[in-house]
Amino acid sequence: AAHMLSTLCLRFPQCIVRRPKALQRPCRSSQCTPDQSAVHRPAQEAVPLAAVPLLRCLALTGLYSVRSARRLVAQGRVTVDGCLVKDELELVDNSSCVSIRRKGKRGLPDEVVVPPRNEYYLKLHKPRGFICSHSRQDNSNNPIISDLYPVGAEACHNVGRLDRKSEGLLLVTSDGFFTKSVTMPDSHLEKEYVVLTDCRRHPPWDTCHAPSVETLGRLLHGVDLGDGKELAKAEVAEVVQHDNELALARLRLVVTSGRYQLVRRLLRAVGYNCMQLLRTRIGSIGGISIRPHSLAEAAQEDEQEPHLTRSRAKLSNGAELQPGEFASLSPEEVVGVYRRGLGWLEHHYPIS
């Protein structure tokens, strides 16, 4: 037997000899160039874990989809700290014990204890100049949105996108159903933008007018973007600031579609450009104020390249987020998004 084993080892060494383990894949930061990896990371406390809707707790077991989890709650098979729960959106933190009663092997009752939850629901004020990406391509030196993620939330993802030249509200989470509830086209979730535009439209450029009632009406009724799709429109279109001397105006637009660069293309279709684009609200989630307040300062800022640092976002101390700041979503905001997603799910896939 020993002789046969040694013969096999000589003939087929790859079958017998243990192969060396593959090298550990480098982390994202180590894939950067020397200048990119030298990111200033001051000491910062980890973001506290969020309370999670009960349905998400059940889905995190890996045994149930959101639809199956809804059925479990409706059947009265879920308990929190030993108490039967009927509210599928009850928020549960890690101090609570969630259990599922089910039939085990041979029909005997069994109990599954849900593992601890590691979920985050954040809102971030994306600064101008950042790219909504988690990887650096072509050794680009542009900062990416994951550079801003606070300690503990590095594995999160952004919900939707803002282009490099835009700034404002961006949601960040680790919850896939939350993301789907915000981004799916059927949800028609409102997104509010404030746009700075130049009012000088035609030669000789010596007169300027803010967008007229007729122009705003075109935005409300729909314009052709030339992409072969249905007319694109805004739900709300109004002028909020106007300065004849500076030939500048600010518009407030509310849209419910997620088409590529929709707001910029809407303005271009009616003859106006987009100098600055700020997203101030997603659904009922806000916390972004118009900045700079002065039109002159806004125009000056538009001409300058943004000063970018790759420091982590700072926790906001006020009600309104400044560029590069973040805050946790309130329980009401999280549940509100879930209700919208469940409304769509109930319409298409009722549990009964």
Side-chain angles (χ1 to χ4, degrees), residues 103-137:
K103 288 185 179 179
K105 294 181 179 179
R106 300 178 182 178
L108 298 176
D110 189 13
E111 186 176 79
V112 175
V113 178
V114 177
R117 282 72 63 189
N118 297 301
E119 299 292 321
Y120 300 93
Y121 304 95
L122 309 174
K123 56 183 177 182
L124 170 71
H125 188 146
K126 172 196 171 298
R128 192 163 54 101
F130 277 76
I131 297 175
C132 285
S133 174
H134 289 182
S135 62
R136 304 185 194 279
Q137 299 177 356

Side-chain angles (χ1 to χ4, degrees), residues 146-167:
S146 56
D147 290 336
L148 295 174
Y149 289 175
V151 175
E154 293 87 353
C156 289
H157 59 268
N158 49 288
V159 181
R161 302 167 65 87
L162 283 172
D163 62 50
R164 179 177 177 272
K165 295 180 180 179
S166 302
E167 65 174 291

